[in-house]
Amino acid sequence: MIVSGVPRSKRAAIWWGRLMVMTRKELIQLFRDVPIVVFLIYSFTLSVYISGNGLKSQLHNANISVYDADHSFSSRDLIHKFQPPFFSFAGELSSSNEGQYRLDRGTVSAVLDIPPRFHEQLAAGEPTAVQLLVDTTNSPQGLSAASYAARIVAQFGQEASLARFGGSAEASQNLPVIVSDHRVWYNPDQNETWFESISHLLRMITIFAMLLPATALVREKERGTIEQLLVSPLTPLLIMLPKVLAMTVVILCAMAVALFGVMQPIFGVPIRGNLVLLFSLTALFVFTTAGMGLFAATITKNQSQVGLLTLLLIAPMLMLSGVTSPMEAMPPWVQYLMTLSPLRYFIDVVYGILLKGNGLKELWGHVLAMGLLGGSLFGFGMWRFRRQFQ
Amino acid sequence: MNFRRIKAVAFKEWRETVRDRIFLLLAFLLPVLWMLVFGYGLVLDVEHIPLVVVDRDHSALSRDYLYRFTESRYFDFKGSLTSETEADAWLLSGKARAVIVVPEKFGERLLAGQPAHVQTLIDGTFPLRTDITKGYVLAINSALSGELLADYVARTRGLSREQAKTLVQPIRLEVRYLYNEEVRSAWSIVPALIMFSLMLAPPLLTALGIVREKETGSIYNIYSSTVSKIEFLTGKLTPYVAISFVNALLLWLLATLWFQVPFKGSFGLFLLSSLIFVLTSTGIGLLVSLMVSTQVAALIITMVLCTLPTILFSGLIVPVSSLSPGAQVQAHLFPGMYYTNIVRGTFLKGVGMNVLWADMLALALYAALLRLVAYRLFTKRPRS
């Protein structure tokens, strides 16, 4: 504790000086661990590139095989409509049993079965049906494949019947149909590298923000060096805060590298909002997430325990906060649970600032939520820490 | 190789694990908790998309049309707006993800046999959601279009409604969903979660267990003992392999009894491949532990190394065939994908060895290779 009688300004200067010294200590300690540094660099550069480049969350190239019992002009025409990017044609089958065989092996994910007399019936204006077998071991993808196929077949049927009446494209102009005009905002070309590289960046920030401060604190407890710090003129705040501060600095630098070194130049991710706001809110997010890590650190005794505990917490954060699949469809209890996940707010902040050009006007609610969450976690961690050591 | 010494190392490791009650508890709790949370919580279907509408027409038909959206479980109706500029603010704040704008004279034009344009504004930040939203809108549009068209054709050509329907929509698509006939999200998620848990927890357990000895220095006892490299590695891994294998069994029970996912394949095959998979994933932890010297590094590296490919490249959410060629190579380099094939194959498809042998072989090779590399890397005489 600080001796009374020293002027206020001087006390503040001492406090800041100690904060800086301790932060420097944490940074030195971190950068001595070469494997961590290597992985930090990998995570924010190469790995952002790989996942931005490689992932497609939409239905892409669903392998489809066709059993064509008709072999007519119409059936071939229909088969031709199953095109990339949604479907990729994986060959014709010689029997319908072969379809099941290929589905079992997972070499195709859908089989289209066109009946004999398909062309005849179509030309005669009789109703006909084609069958689609879909692998639904991955249910959303199976449903998507079915809905695309339904769209293709419906359109094909409509065109065929129009053609039968000698109707041309112009004739359809005079039919009572609803024409959809879609306008996609914020990412008009539906460039998936934007979404995937941003969500990857968010995942990496979360992992590092949670783990680094937590393990740094537990390590001191485990090795007993914490006793040295406690006998020094440092308050618990001055022991915990520098750990967060050091990691915040490191993570902000890493994010800058990812953003300006990979995402902007290679993928063309736009930065439509304010960069200062983005980095300040990232700092807030790191603080909040670190608070969660420190909380885990104060209730565990060694690094193995804190490792498992943070893994336990981090997996739901990564999977359910909305980076992997949209929040809206999650059951209500998950949505309530995720109000405790700082990542849930940070996602909207980052996508909002980068893609939508959001400012504080739209984001203040999220900022407040992150601040409150971080403040209470950090406060609780401090309270536990004091109780354990004083 | 001396069996007694392996047993001694394994026993010592087991004792150490059991004495750390919290660690032991977490090691068993982690997979079970994850499966409960994700089995119920991880819904991959895109539903309840927040939607606002702008109706400039206010006709009976436009109301009927918009009613189809507000009643659909795919959309959550958030309100009716008067202008598009208002809609901009809703999209910008993320309170709405889609806006439907019905133009003036929508009803009038359609009843007069003319096409009507409906504008949809969609938030494009999340491509999957955008894409699926587009699909839902198109489906609702074409359903109503089909009805209107059939009415129109029936009126103008003097046909019955049934005939008109055939005319408008001559081909029906009969969809048969295979393996997961009711298309339950949980059925496709839960088996894959066994892979998820066994891919994340065992490497961490193993890596921490070994690096702990390095960091505290107790590994020097091993260096100076008569225990050989292979005996140490085998003994050290045994408790973690055992814990993980028991977890595989627990998860299987949870999946079949609690979540009632059908298990159509052979249980023996599942057990055998789970054992091979556990040997693989603990092998990853082993390899990491030999390359680092602190537990912090072990933690970070195993987490980064395992979490991301498990979520992204193992077929849990995105099928491997949908990945770009580069990412497909990654997926094949990572063991998760093979085990996903095996669990989904044995649970939902009920296929056997004749289909899954390649995946099992890949895993077995992987496990063997990891151990070989670990054996080469581990040395009882560290340079320092």
Side-chain angles (χ1 to χ4, degrees), chain B residues 52 74 84 90 100 126 170 173 178 248 261 265-266 284 311 343 348:
Chain B
V52 289
Y74 300 119
E84 267 185 67
W90 280 74
I100 309 271
F126 199 143
L173 182 75
L178 292 182
V261 181
S266 129
I284 293 179
I311 298 178
V343 279
L348 297 172

Side-chain angles (χ1 to χ4, degrees), chain A residues 98-327:
Chain A
E98 207 189 320
Q100 183 78 40
Y101 176 84
R102 290 205 185 178
L103 284 164
D104 276 350
R105 270 171 174 63
T107 48
V108 297
S109 44
V111 171
L112 186 70
D113 195 329
I114 301 176
R117 295 192 58 238
F118 175 73
H119 179 72
E120 243 177 276
Q121 285 179 314
L122 205 58
E126 287 171 35
T128 174
V130 293
Q131 206 182 43
L132 186 76
L133 304 176
V134 192
D135 177 351
T136 39
T137 46
N138 185 325
S139 61
Q141 297 283 333
L143 284 177
S144 287
S147 96
Y148 279 119
R151 237 187 280 170
I152 291 171
V153 169
Q155 203 181 347
F156 179 78
Q158 238 171 43
E159 279 166 14
S161 62
L162 280 176
R164 204 163 65 86
F165 285 100
S168 58
E170 277 117 65
S172 72
Q173 297 283 300
N174 289 315
L175 288 172
V177 289
I178 299 170
V179 185
S180 302
D181 296 332
H182 295 288
R183 268 181 29 216
V184 175
W185 287 21
Y186 314 126
N187 185 357
D189 301 328
Q190 287 293 283
N191 191 338
E192 288 206 56
T193 58
W194 293 4
F195 175 77
E196 297 298 347
S197 60
I198 297 172
S199 41
H200 185 81
L201 179 69
L202 295 180
R203 290 193 187 105
M204 294 324 312
I205 293 177
T206 311
I207 292 181
F208 279 94
M210 184 126 159
L211 277 182
L212 286 176
T215 42
L217 183 62
V218 171
R219 181 164 53 186
E220 306 241 25
K221 267 164 75 171
E222 198 177 349
R223 290 189 180 165
T225 48
I226 195 105
E227 307 291 342
Q228 290 174 10
L229 294 177
L230 285 167
V231 296
S232 68
L234 290 170
T235 58
L237 182 68
L238 271 176
I239 295 172
M240 277 172 80
L241 196 58
K243 296 189 193 302
V244 179
L245 219 56
M247 302 320 160
T248 310
V249 173
V250 171
I251 288 171
L252 288 184
C253 293
M255 173 162 146
V257 170
L259 200 57
F260 302 118
V262 180
M263 291 159 66
Q264 205 187 19
I266 300 179
F267 298 138
V269 175
I271 302 174
R272 302 205 172 109
N274 187 333
L275 269 177
V276 177
L277 185 67
L278 177 67
F279 278 87
S280 346
L281 292 184
T282 308
L284 178 64
F285 170 72
V286 174
F287 166 76
T288 308
T289 313
M292 199 171 256
L294 286 177
F295 170 66
T298 52
I299 58 176
T300 48
K301 287 199 182 64
N302 55 47
Q303 294 179 71
S304 311
Q305 290 176 5
V306 88
L308 285 189
L309 190 61
T310 42
L311 185 64
L312 176 71
L313 296 174
I314 229 167
M317 272 173 77
L318 294 180
M319 300 283 283
L320 301 175
S321 293
V323 251
T324 313
S325 70
M327 276 296 283

Side-chain angles (χ1 to χ4, degrees), chain B residues 298-357:
Chain B
L299 257 174
I300 298 252
I301 292 175
T302 34
M303 243 187 236
V304 172
L305 216 55
C306 294
T307 326
L308 297 158
T310 307
I311 298 178
L312 307 177
F313 297 133
S314 57
L316 173 67
I317 291 165
V318 186
V320 175
S321 67
S322 291
L323 299 170
S324 73
Q328 284 198 25
V329 173
Q330 278 230 327
H332 283 84
L333 289 177
F334 190 74
M337 183 198 91
Y338 304 104
Y339 191 60
T340 309
N341 288 343
I342 294 172
V343 279
R344 288 214 170 122
T346 48
F347 266 89
L348 297 172
K349 291 189 174 178
V351 290
M353 198 74 165
N354 55 338
V355 173
L356 299 172
W357 66 269

Side-chain angles (χ1 to χ4, degrees), chain B residues 50-290:
Chain B
L51 170 89
V52 289
V53 300
V54 180
D55 186 355
R56 295 231 189 85
D57 189 37
H58 293 291
S59 65
L61 199 57
S62 76
R63 269 193 296 276
D64 175 39
Y65 172 63
L66 290 174
Y67 183 71
R68 289 169 190 243
F69 285 94
T70 53
E71 278 308 288
S72 153
R73 70 188 164 100
Y74 300 119
F75 293 99
D76 263 4
F77 178 63
K78 295 284 176 194
S80 206
L81 309 176
T82 49
S83 76
E84 267 185 67
T85 32
E86 232 181 301
D88 289 1
W90 280 74
L91 282 178
L92 204 57
S93 64
K95 278 190 288 181
R97 301 292 184 188
V99 182
I100 309 271
V101 185
V102 180
E104 289 101 354
K105 298 199 180 151
F106 170 80
E108 209 183 301
R109 286 182 65 95
L110 286 174
L111 290 178
Q114 285 174 316
H117 290 254
V118 169
Q119 201 172 49
T120 319
L121 312 175
I122 309 175
D123 179 336
T125 45
F126 199 143
L128 175 73
R129 183 176 51 207
T130 316
D131 196 50
I132 292 179
T133 309
K134 235 192 259 177
Y136 292 153
V137 173
L138 279 174
I140 290 179
N141 282 354
S142 70
L144 185 59
S145 294
E147 287 172 31
L148 289 169
L149 207 57
D151 281 346
Y152 179 76
V153 171
R155 240 185 9 244
T156 51
R157 290 183 189 259
L159 299 169
S160 75
R161 274 207 67 158
E162 276 312 301
Q163 282 173 307
K165 255 189 188 154
T166 324
L167 199 64
V168 171
Q169 202 47 268
I171 311 173
R172 212 172 60 247
L173 182 75
E174 289 167 358
V175 180
R176 260 184 61 205
Y177 297 113
L178 292 182
Y179 312 124
N180 181 0
E181 290 78 6
E182 293 158 55
V183 205
R184 293 196 199 167
S185 189
W187 284 17
S188 65
I189 291 286
V190 167
L193 283 175
I194 302 182
M195 180 281 299
F196 182 82
S197 298
L198 295 183
M199 192 63 242
L200 293 189
L204 202 64
L205 292 176
T206 317
L208 286 172
I210 295 173
V211 179
R212 192 168 50 199
E213 296 229 30
K214 274 185 166 180
E215 202 173 344
T216 54
S218 62
I219 200 151
Y220 284 96
N221 296 333
I222 301 292
Y223 291 158
S224 56
S225 71
T226 51
V227 177
S228 73
K229 273 161 69 172
I230 195 153
E231 287 161 0
F232 171 70
L233 293 178
T234 316
K236 189 83 189 172
L237 281 182
T238 308
Y240 301 114
V241 171
I243 291 176
S244 310
F245 189 62
V246 169
N247 276 334
L249 277 176
L250 282 177
L251 290 173
W252 184 86
L253 285 173
L254 208 56
T256 50
L257 298 179
W258 186 270
F259 285 100
Q260 309 233 312
V261 181
F263 185 80
K264 299 174 187 160
S266 129
F267 186 60
L269 186 68
F270 173 80
L271 280 186
L272 179 63
S273 35
S274 297
L275 184 63
I276 300 175
F277 185 61
V278 164
L279 286 170
T280 313
S281 64
T282 47
I284 293 179
L286 175 65
L287 198 63
V288 171
S289 71
L290 295 175

Side-chain angles (χ1 to χ4, degrees), chain B residues 355-366:
Chain B
V355 173
L356 299 172
W357 66 269
D359 293 304
M360 292 177 70
L361 187 68
L363 284 181
L365 283 177
Y366 211 113

